[in-house]
Amino acid sequence: MVCQPIGVLRTPFKEISDMPIQPAGAQGVYGYIELNHELVDGLTDLDGFSHVTVLYHFHHTAEVRLHVEPFLDKSSHGVFATRAPCRPNPIGLSVLRLHKVVGNLIELEGVDMMDETPLLDIKPYVPEFDLPTGPVRSGWLLEPVAPVREARSDDRFASGLQDGDD
Ligand SMILES: C[S@@+](CC[C@H](N)C(=O)[O-])C[C@H]1O[C@@H](n2cnc3c(N)ncnc32)[C@H](O)[C@@H]1O
């Protein structure tokens, strides 16, 4: 399987420490997608949606770990029971508010990824498709160490190299 970036995410976060850990902690934080020019036709009608789901490559994550201590707990959990970046396929998923589409640029609010993160896909967020029906359980996140809106990242999952390094 070969997956190519379709563009890049531009955000205010040049470093991994002290950034939001989810869009819920990034209200009022703006960024944008710079879509590869040859794909712009695929944006037709996207501006009718208030939110988009973006999928991207955690390009600065460290080695794969199957057990992690996530930002919101003091205990370890299986990586698939967390949103930690150090996954076998290091793919991030964020639901973001869509502000406007201008040419190949898509302005977004709620960005929780580093600047220059490679973009893999964009999908419209549709509550009728994406919101589960029936009761929802949040597992160990029922008792987080801090509210997600306040929690900030550190470099526990980061690779050695970040922007500005050679
Ligand atoms: C906990 S993940 C959640 C991302 C996404 N909302 C998800 O659930 O898949 C967000 C954290 O990943 C790290 N991160 C963000 N962008 C990254 C990138 N491009 N490479 C490696 N780590 C990144 C930062 O520590 C950030 O706070």
Side-chain angles (χ1 to χ4, degrees), residues 16 20-22 56 58-60 83 93-94 112 114 117 153:
I16 221 157
I21 64 163
Q22 286 293 342
Y56 47 90
F58 287 121
H59 67 316
H60 278 310
R83 299 292 191 94
L93 177 158
S94 301
D112 65 335
M114 290 181 70
T117 293
S153 166

Side-chain angles (χ1 to χ4, degrees), residues 11 13 15-23 54 56-62 71 82-87 90-96 110 112-118 151-159:
T11 77
F13 306 112
E15 297 194 353
I16 221 157
S17 291
D18 199 30
M19 60 175 285
I21 64 163
Q22 286 293 342
V54 295
Y56 47 90
H57 176 215
F58 287 121
H59 67 316
H60 278 310
T61 196
F71 295 123
T82 76
R83 299 292 191 94
C86 56
R87 331 177 68 79
I91 293 173
L93 177 158
S94 301
V95 177
L96 304 175
D112 65 335
M113 66 295 290
M114 290 181 70
D115 190 33
E116 298 190 2
T117 293
R152 304 291 284 185
S153 166
D154 56 37
D155 62 2
R156 73 185 72 181
F157 303 121
S159 62

Side-chain angles (χ1 to χ4, degrees), residues 42-121:
L43 294 178
T44 308
D45 299 329
L46 186 68
D47 60 2
F49 293 86
S50 63
H51 292 76
V52 288
T53 300
V54 295
L55 298 162
Y56 47 90
H57 176 215
F58 287 121
H59 67 316
H60 278 310
T61 196
E63 76 283 357
V64 175
R65 293 184 215 157
L66 295 184
H67 286 94
V68 296
E69 188 179 304
F71 295 123
L72 290 178
D73 206 359
K74 298 265 181 242
S75 306
S76 171
H77 301 278
V79 69
F80 299 122
T82 76
R83 299 292 191 94
C86 56
R87 331 177 68 79
N89 288 322
I91 293 173
L93 177 158
S94 301
V95 177
L96 304 175
R97 180 174 288 280
L98 171 60
H99 275 271
K100 58 182 172 194
V101 181
V102 182
N104 73 321
L105 305 182
I106 305 164
E107 192 180 301
L108 304 165
E109 182 185 351
V111 291
D112 65 335
M113 66 295 290
M114 290 181 70
D115 190 33
E116 298 190 2
T117 293
L119 177 69
L120 300 177
D121 204 0

